[in-house]
PDB file of all heavy atoms in Angstrom:
ATOM      1  N   ILE A  63      -9.816 -50.954  -5.736  1.00  0.00           N
ATOM      2  CA  ILE A  63     -11.109 -50.983  -6.349  1.00  0.00           C
ATOM      3  C   ILE A  63     -11.096 -50.167  -7.625  1.00  0.00           C
ATOM      4  O   ILE A  63     -10.701 -49.032  -7.635  1.00  0.00           O
ATOM      5  CB  ILE A  63     -12.228 -50.526  -5.410  1.00  0.00           C
ATOM      6  CG1 ILE A  63     -12.319 -51.345  -4.208  1.00  0.00           C
ATOM      7  CG2 ILE A  63     -13.560 -50.430  -6.110  1.00  0.00           C
ATOM      8  CD1 ILE A  63     -13.310 -50.908  -3.187  1.00  0.00           C
ATOM      9  N   LYS A  64     -11.521 -50.799  -8.715  1.00  0.00           N
ATOM     10  CA  LYS A  64     -11.703 -50.103 -10.000  1.00  0.00           C
ATOM     11  C   LYS A  64     -13.078 -50.464 -10.524  1.00  0.00           C
ATOM     12  O   LYS A  64     -13.319 -51.681 -10.708  1.00  0.00           O
ATOM     13  CB  LYS A  64     -10.634 -50.450 -11.008  1.00  0.00           C
ATOM     14  CG  LYS A  64     -10.669 -49.667 -12.267  1.00  0.00           C
ATOM     15  CD  LYS A  64      -9.579 -50.002 -13.232  1.00  0.00           C
ATOM     16  CE  LYS A  64      -9.732 -49.202 -14.462  1.00  0.00           C
ATOM     17  NZ  LYS A  64      -8.805 -49.569 -15.520  1.00  0.00           N
ATOM     18  N   LEU A  65     -13.916 -49.458 -10.744  1.00  0.00           N
ATOM     19  CA  LEU A  65     -15.260 -49.716 -11.204  1.00  0.00           C
ATOM     20  C   LEU A  65     -15.532 -49.005 -12.518  1.00  0.00           C
ATOM     21  O   LEU A  65     -14.784 -48.084 -12.892  1.00  0.00           O
ATOM     22  CB  LEU A  65     -16.274 -49.205 -10.123  1.00  0.00           C
ATOM     23  CG  LEU A  65     -16.179 -49.853  -8.764  1.00  0.00           C
ATOM     24  CD1 LEU A  65     -17.096 -49.195  -7.784  1.00  0.00           C
ATOM     25  CD2 LEU A  65     -16.479 -51.332  -8.867  1.00  0.00           C
ATOM     26  N   PRO A  66     -16.551 -49.405 -13.241  1.00  0.00           N
ATOM     27  CA  PRO A  66     -16.803 -48.730 -14.522  1.00  0.00           C
ATOM     28  C   PRO A  66     -17.267 -47.307 -14.296  1.00  0.00           C
ATOM     29  O   PRO A  66     -17.711 -46.957 -13.191  1.00  0.00           O
ATOM     30  CB  PRO A  66     -17.927 -49.594 -15.152  1.00  0.00           C
ATOM     31  CG  PRO A  66     -18.580 -50.205 -13.977  1.00  0.00           C
ATOM     32  CD  PRO A  66     -17.500 -50.403 -12.946  1.00  0.00           C
ATOM     33  N   THR A  67     -17.211 -46.487 -15.306  1.00  0.00           N
ATOM     34  CA  THR A  67     -17.707 -45.116 -15.164  1.00  0.00           C
ATOM     35  C   THR A  67     -19.207 -45.071 -15.385  1.00  0.00           C
ATOM     36  O   THR A  67     -19.787 -45.935 -16.126  1.00  0.00           O
ATOM     37  CB  THR A  67     -17.035 -44.187 -16.209  1.00  0.00           C
ATOM     38  OG1 THR A  67     -17.244 -44.705 -17.521  1.00  0.00           O
ATOM     39  CG2 THR A  67     -15.550 -44.093 -15.989  1.00  0.00           C
ATOM     40  N   VAL A  68     -19.825 -44.162 -14.746  1.00  0.00           N
ATOM     41  CA  VAL A  68     -21.270 -43.983 -14.913  1.00  0.00           C
ATOM     42  C   VAL A  68     -21.590 -43.677 -16.362  1.00  0.00           C
ATOM     43  O   VAL A  68     -20.834 -42.934 -17.027  1.00  0.00           O
ATOM     44  CB  VAL A  68     -21.827 -42.906 -13.944  1.00  0.00           C
ATOM     45  CG1 VAL A  68     -23.259 -42.550 -14.207  1.00  0.00           C
ATOM     46  CG2 VAL A  68     -21.633 -43.297 -12.479  1.00  0.00           C
ATOM     47  N   ASN A  69     -22.656 -44.187 -16.861  1.00  0.00           N
ATOM     48  CA  ASN A  69     -23.134 -44.047 -18.259  1.00  0.00           C
ATOM     49  C   ASN A  69     -22.373 -44.932 -19.264  1.00  0.00           C
ATOM     50  O   ASN A  69     -22.669 -44.918 -20.449  1.00  0.00           O
ATOM     51  CB  ASN A  69     -23.124 -42.608 -18.771  1.00  0.00           C
ATOM     52  CG  ASN A  69     -24.101 -41.739 -18.005  1.00  0.00           C
ATOM     53  OD1 ASN A  69     -25.218 -42.207 -17.729  1.00  0.00           O
ATOM     54  ND2 ASN A  69     -23.763 -40.528 -17.707  1.00  0.00           N
ATOM     55  N   SER A  70     -21.412 -45.728 -18.771  1.00  0.00           N
ATOM     56  CA  SER A  70     -20.773 -46.641 -19.678  1.00  0.00           C
ATOM     57  C   SER A  70     -21.677 -47.911 -19.825  1.00  0.00           C
ATOM     58  O   SER A  70     -22.500 -48.160 -19.015  1.00  0.00           O
ATOM     59  CB  SER A  70     -19.361 -47.119 -19.103  1.00  0.00           C
ATOM     60  OG  SER A  70     -19.535 -47.791 -17.865  1.00  0.00           O
ATOM     61  N   HIS A  71     -21.478 -48.604 -20.937  1.00  0.00           N
ATOM     62  CA  HIS A  71     -22.303 -49.743 -21.186  1.00  0.00           C
ATOM     63  C   HIS A  71     -21.514 -51.055 -20.813  1.00  0.00           C
ATOM     64  O   HIS A  71     -20.362 -51.167 -21.160  1.00  0.00           O
ATOM     65  CB  HIS A  71     -22.728 -49.838 -22.707  1.00  0.00           C
ATOM     66  CG  HIS A  71     -23.806 -50.849 -22.896  1.00  0.00           C
ATOM     67  ND1 HIS A  71     -23.540 -52.161 -23.187  1.00  0.00           N
ATOM     68  CD2 HIS A  71     -25.165 -50.718 -22.799  1.00  0.00           C
ATOM     69  CE1 HIS A  71     -24.720 -52.819 -23.297  1.00  0.00           C
ATOM     70  NE2 HIS A  71     -25.662 -51.979 -23.097  1.00  0.00           N
ATOM     71  N   CYS A  72     -22.150 -51.897 -20.032  1.00  0.00           N
ATOM     72  CA  CYS A  72     -21.511 -53.127 -19.602  1.00  0.00           C
ATOM     73  C   CYS A  72     -22.126 -54.251 -20.402  1.00  0.00           C
ATOM     74  O   CYS A  72     -23.339 -54.354 -20.506  1.00  0.00           O
ATOM     75  CB  CYS A  72     -21.785 -53.368 -18.102  1.00  0.00           C
ATOM     76  SG  CYS A  72     -21.196 -52.005 -17.053  1.00  0.00           S
ATOM     77  N   LYS A  73     -21.309 -55.086 -20.951  1.00  0.00           N
ATOM     78  CA  LYS A  73     -21.772 -56.281 -21.706  1.00  0.00           C
ATOM     79  C   LYS A  73     -21.575 -57.543 -20.876  1.00  0.00           C
ATOM     80  O   LYS A  73     -20.591 -57.690 -20.195  1.00  0.00           O
ATOM     81  CB  LYS A  73     -21.026 -56.427 -23.038  1.00  0.00           C
ATOM     82  CG  LYS A  73     -21.334 -55.348 -24.029  1.00  0.00           C
ATOM     83  CD  LYS A  73     -20.604 -55.538 -25.316  1.00  0.00           C
ATOM     84  CE  LYS A  73     -20.898 -54.423 -26.288  1.00  0.00           C
ATOM     85  NZ  LYS A  73     -20.091 -54.563 -27.530  1.00  0.00           N
ATOM     86  N   ILE A  74     -22.574 -58.459 -21.000  1.00  0.00           N
ATOM     87  CA  ILE A  74     -22.517 -59.679 -20.189  1.00  0.00           C
ATOM     88  C   ILE A  74     -21.221 -60.386 -20.424  1.00  0.00           C
ATOM     89  O   ILE A  74     -20.669 -60.471 -21.484  1.00  0.00           O
ATOM     90  CB  ILE A  74     -23.701 -60.545 -20.594  1.00  0.00           C
ATOM     91  CG1 ILE A  74     -23.854 -61.707 -19.611  1.00  0.00           C
ATOM     92  CG2 ILE A  74     -23.664 -61.079 -21.975  1.00  0.00           C
ATOM     93  CD1 ILE A  74     -25.197 -62.468 -19.690  1.00  0.00           C
ATOM     94  N   ASN A  75     -20.674 -60.908 -19.333  1.00  0.00           N
ATOM     95  CA  ASN A  75     -19.418 -61.658 -19.242  1.00  0.00           C
ATOM     96  C   ASN A  75     -18.151 -60.871 -19.598  1.00  0.00           C
ATOM     97  O   ASN A  75     -17.065 -61.434 -19.699  1.00  0.00           O
ATOM     98  CB  ASN A  75     -19.476 -62.940 -20.106  1.00  0.00           C
ATOM     99  CG  ASN A  75     -20.554 -63.862 -19.622  1.00  0.00           C
ATOM    100  OD1 ASN A  75     -20.809 -63.981 -18.421  1.00  0.00           O
ATOM    101  ND2 ASN A  75     -21.209 -64.522 -20.549  1.00  0.00           N
ATOM    102  N   GLU A  76     -18.233 -59.530 -19.679  1.00  0.00           N
ATOM    103  CA  GLU A  76     -17.045 -58.692 -19.921  1.00  0.00           C
ATOM    104  C   GLU A  76     -16.593 -58.116 -18.631  1.00  0.00           C
ATOM    105  O   GLU A  76     -17.434 -57.824 -17.704  1.00  0.00           O
ATOM    106  CB  GLU A  76     -17.318 -57.623 -20.946  1.00  0.00           C
ATOM    107  CG  GLU A  76     -17.430 -58.136 -22.366  1.00  0.00           C
ATOM    108  CD  GLU A  76     -17.510 -57.045 -23.400  1.00  0.00           C
ATOM    109  OE1 GLU A  76     -17.412 -55.854 -23.031  1.00  0.00           O
ATOM    110  OE2 GLU A  76     -17.538 -57.352 -24.598  1.00  0.00           O
ATOM    111  N   LYS A  77     -15.319 -57.844 -18.498  1.00  0.00           N
ATOM    112  CA  LYS A  77     -14.723 -57.296 -17.256  1.00  0.00           C
ATOM    113  C   LYS A  77     -15.232 -55.863 -17.103  1.00  0.00           C
ATOM    114  O   LYS A  77     -15.215 -55.066 -18.031  1.00  0.00           O
ATOM    115  CB  LYS A  77     -13.199 -57.265 -17.352  1.00  0.00           C
ATOM    116  CG  LYS A  77     -12.521 -56.861 -16.074  1.00  0.00           C
ATOM    117  CD  LYS A  77     -11.047 -57.131 -16.078  1.00  0.00           C
ATOM    118  CE  LYS A  77     -10.349 -56.030 -16.831  1.00  0.00           C
ATOM    119  NZ  LYS A  77      -8.906 -56.074 -16.663  1.00  0.00           N
ATOM    120  N   ILE A  78     -15.779 -55.613 -15.885  1.00  0.00           N
ATOM    121  CA  ILE A  78     -16.274 -54.254 -15.571  1.00  0.00           C
ATOM    122  C   ILE A  78     -15.505 -53.624 -14.410  1.00  0.00           C
ATOM    123  O   ILE A  78     -15.732 -52.433 -14.113  1.00  0.00           O
ATOM    124  CB  ILE A  78     -17.808 -54.230 -15.223  1.00  0.00           C
ATOM    125  CG1 ILE A  78     -18.092 -55.126 -14.026  1.00  0.00           C
ATOM    126  CG2 ILE A  78     -18.621 -54.611 -16.491  1.00  0.00           C
ATOM    127  CD1 ILE A  78     -19.468 -54.941 -13.537  1.00  0.00           C
TER     128      ILE A  78
END
Side-chain angles (χ1 to χ4, degrees):
I63 296 176
K64 183 179 180 185
L65 299 174
T67 57
V68 174
N69 293 323
S70 63
H71 194 270
C72 303
K73 291 183 182 176
I74 192 167
N75 297 325
E76 286 189 1
K77 187 168 81 170
I78 59 169

